[in-house]
Each structure stands twice: as C-alpha cells, then as structure tokens.
Amino acid sequence: MKLTIGKKLGAGFGVVLVLMAATALITYQKLSEIRGIVSRMTEVRMPTVETIRILQNDINYAAAKARHTILAGTDAQRRAAAQEAFGKAWDRVGNDIARLDELAPHWTLQENRDRLAALKEQIGAIRAEQQATMDTAASGGRDAVVQGGNDYADKVTPVVDRAAGKVAELAESFDKHLKEDEDEAASANKSAVWTMAIATILGLAAGIFVALFLSRKIA
C-alpha cells in the first residue's frame, strides 16, 4: 500500500510521540524507584545506624558510671552521685532500644530483628550484673571494693563484650545496606539518564527523517 505524504508525516510524528510517551513512563518509574530508595535510606537505614552508634556510646557510658559507683565504695555522697548518673545512663539506653523497636518492623532482614532481640536480653543482664557488683562494693565488707571490681571483670565484662558484638553486627549490616542503597539509587539514576538520552536521539532521528523527506518532496 502506497502511503501519502500526509500519512508518512503522521507516522513520523507518531513515532516521536510514542518515544516521548515511553520516555516519560520509564523516567517516572525510575524516579519513583529512586524516591523509594531515598525514603528507605533517610527514614529507616540512616536513623537505625545513628541510633546503633548512640546506643554503643550509651552502653559504654553506663559501664563507666558502674565502675565509678564501685570505686565509691561506702562513700555515701560519691556513691549517690555515681548511682544517679548510672540510672540516667540506663534511661538513655532504654530510649535507644525503644527507638530501635520503632524502626525494626521496617527492616528488611529478620536476622537483624533477631539480633536486636538477643541484644535486649543481654542488655537486661548487663544492668543486673552491674548493679550486683556495685552493691558488693558498697557492702562495707573487707576488700568489698576489690571484690566488686573483680566481679565486674569476671561477670559483667564478658556480657558487655557479647552485647558489643551484637551492636557491631547490626552496625555492619546496616552500613552494608546503606552502601547497597546508594549503588541502587545511582544505577537507577544512570538508567533514567540513558533512557532519556536514547529516546531524545531516536526522536531527533525521526524528526530529521521527516524533515528531510518533506524537503525532498517539496523540492
């Protein structure tokens, strides 16, 4: 079937419009993908990493205040001040854990939720053991402070080390997720740019073809 000039012209512009529509659709999909990745990073990944690091600092701070309380021995004034700081430190730890509990349902790996559950159990044990060693040091018995310090090294430190290991595993996992998200966002952005570039080139080619065809016919 022989096509008229009008039909050929319409076909050329139709190709351009199809390319524009396809480009718009693909670009919208890629931008939606990027928005989803960025949202996941800013609303879940980054707050989790930040909270994990704060938690580690707060656990260490609570441990330092426990040792200060042990060293206070039976000195009521020093012990009261250290005990108060110890309680506030654990309040901060509790807030950190509550924040992680809020974020956990949005985590992609059940493995990390299991790590959090194990960490919560260890943290409960840490505080109980710390308080026990502090009470030993304040008992007033012979070498009570030394005994409290020894109990801390033997009973508390291993539990703290295990908790620190769980915190490190969580931090490493989410650092890895953040890197993967960054790579995924970069890939989606690159794909969108290439899609627009290729569609633009094809559209220009179609437009040039139509223009050349018309110029030849008119000439």
Side-chain angles (χ1 to χ4, degrees), residues 8-9 11-12 202-216:
K8 290 179 180 180
L9 183 61
L202 292 176
L204 285 172
I208 291 170
F209 174 80
V210 171
L212 290 174
F213 174 79
L214 287 176
S215 66
R216 291 174 59 188

